Amino acid sequence: MSQMIRAAFISALGQDPVIRDVPPPVARPDQVLLRMGAAALNFADLLKAKGQYQEPADPPFVPGLEGAGTVLSAPAGSGLVAGTRVVVSAPGTMSQVMAVDPGAVQAIPDAMTLEQAAGFQVAYGTSHLALAGRGALQAGQTLVVLGAAGGVGLTAVQIGAAMGARVIGIARGADKVNVVRQAGASDVIDSATCPDLRAALRDLGSADVVYDPVGAEPGEAAFRALRPGGRFLVIGFAGGRPPVLPLNHALVKNIAIHGFYWGGYRGLDPQALRDSIDALFDLFRAGRLDPVAGATLPLDDLAQGYVMLRERRSIGKVVITL
């Protein structure tokens, strides 16, 4: 492959990405070469661009942590052949061509588009592995999802409902409330008009599990609405800071607080990641999951996608076509 390709770059920390024409990467004999079709933005991309992500990178670097594409070439014994459509979980997905290790890719269902697949792994994988694993969510229990209209929040609503839980979603604004209800929430609280989230949740019967990608005051309020024996899942801090949780309440009420970082499972338990994605693909094939893209933008408009994410104007994932 000799022609130039297009890729995004973070040239300096604190700056939005720029698009450049560059030579294509050359895959090592043990790597898979991919023609990328789409990539998804995550809140982690904003943190990485500011140098605040737990896995930092020195600029210039290609952003993006997940995407989907088609295999151009693959090493023998990898189980992959040219033409296989796959998802990829690796840094640098905002590039038209990338080379990755075989363990970073997984074939996708025939009915799944590359745009759907691009934003599937991190959001759905986070929610599935957190809820089914650390959260130990059971059918008939009550799940509270903060930031329920966001990229991971919507997946937690869908997966919680698919697992037979009663889901209470928290979202801001009528449009987002409607989307969360359509995703499977039994009840939705509009945080724009709710003066006391803790009281509102208690009026709805409190919670067995709280899924918190927001943190700050909403996380603190939801924590206080947990029933004895409840589980609090720390997913992220889109609200700007971690929640301040009263550990005396955790002690007295036997509440478990679990931090969950999906990317960390690449080292902690990579097989659990693959098994989780396989289970999610089965749910997709059965029609029980409906990936929602908040916006689909071309690579040239990637900086606009960063703004949408930063200002929380997206519903679901922001997907970039490549």
Side-chain angles (χ1 to χ4, degrees):
M1 182 180 295
S2 59
Q3 73 271 23
M4 301 289 277
I5 64 166
R6 307 194 78 212
F9 287 88
I10 299 294
S11 299
L13 296 180
Q15 295 185 3
D16 283 340
V18 295
I19 312 302
R20 297 178 186 168
D21 293 324
V22 295
V26 176
R28 301 191 312 261
D30 62 343
Q31 285 186 312
V32 179
L33 191 66
L34 300 175
R35 169 70 70 178
M36 297 298 290
L41 276 175
N42 291 280
F43 189 74
D45 288 298
L46 298 184
L47 297 178
K48 198 167 185 177
K50 294 190 291 185
Q52 298 175 351
Y53 190 52
Q54 56 259 41
E55 296 176 0
D58 294 325
F61 63 85
V62 178
L65 298 170
E66 63 174 332
T70 303
V71 173
L72 294 174
S73 63
S78 66
L80 299 167
V81 296
T84 303
R85 299 183 321 129
V86 297
V87 288
V88 55
S89 172
T93 55
M94 297 292 174
S95 174
Q96 289 180 326
V97 177
M98 67 182 300
V100 296
D101 294 335
V105 304
Q106 206 161 340
I108 65 175
D110 292 340
M112 182 176 280
T113 68
L114 292 181
E115 289 78 13
Q116 287 176 316
F120 191 85
Q121 289 181 101
V122 174
Y124 280 93
T126 293
S127 295
H128 181 265
L129 207 50
L131 293 175
R134 301 290 179 121
L137 182 66
Q138 303 296 315
Q141 292 186 332
T142 297
L143 166 67
V144 168
V145 179
L146 300 176
V152 293
L154 270 178
T155 66
V157 172
Q158 288 187 20
I159 291 170
M163 293 174 67
R166 175 198 178 202
V167 181
I168 302 173
I170 317 298
R172 178 174 291 271
D175 290 346
K176 291 184 177 180
V177 165
N178 289 336
V179 169
V180 173
R181 186 170 284 112
Q182 291 169 10
S186 303
D187 299 279
V188 186
I189 297 173
D190 188 343
S191 59
T193 60
C194 177
D196 189 338
L197 178 58
R198 176 189 181 188
L201 289 172
R202 286 187 168 181
D203 287 344
L204 289 171
S206 298
D208 297 294
V209 179
V210 169
Y211 181 97
D212 180 18
V214 177
E217 290 85 356
E220 294 158 15
F223 178 86
R224 292 177 180 273
L226 275 167
R227 296 170 181 153
R231 284 84 71 201
F232 187 90
L233 297 172
V234 182
I235 305 299
F237 313 118
R241 64 170 177 84
V244 179
L245 304 179
L247 296 185
N248 58 322
H249 285 221
L251 186 154
V252 173
K253 296 172 68 176
N254 289 292
I255 290 172
I257 302 169
H258 294 292
F260 187 88
Y261 169 43
W262 186 84
Y265 271 76
R266 294 191 191 100
L268 180 65
D269 192 346
Q271 189 58 48
L273 283 184
R274 299 186 73 84
D275 291 346
S276 174
I277 295 299
D278 284 340
L280 287 165
F281 283 159
D282 286 342
L283 287 173
F284 175 85
R285 293 186 184 95
R288 299 180 68 186
L289 299 179
D290 182 21
V292 177
T296 302
L297 305 172
L299 183 60
D300 285 338
D301 292 341
L302 177 59
Q304 180 184 336
Y306 272 65
V307 173
M308 292 180 67
L309 207 61
R310 191 179 299 126
E311 297 180 355
R312 302 184 196 177
R313 289 194 275 117
S314 65
I315 298 176
K317 275 294 184 78
V318 177
V319 173
I320 306 300
T321 56
L322 297 165

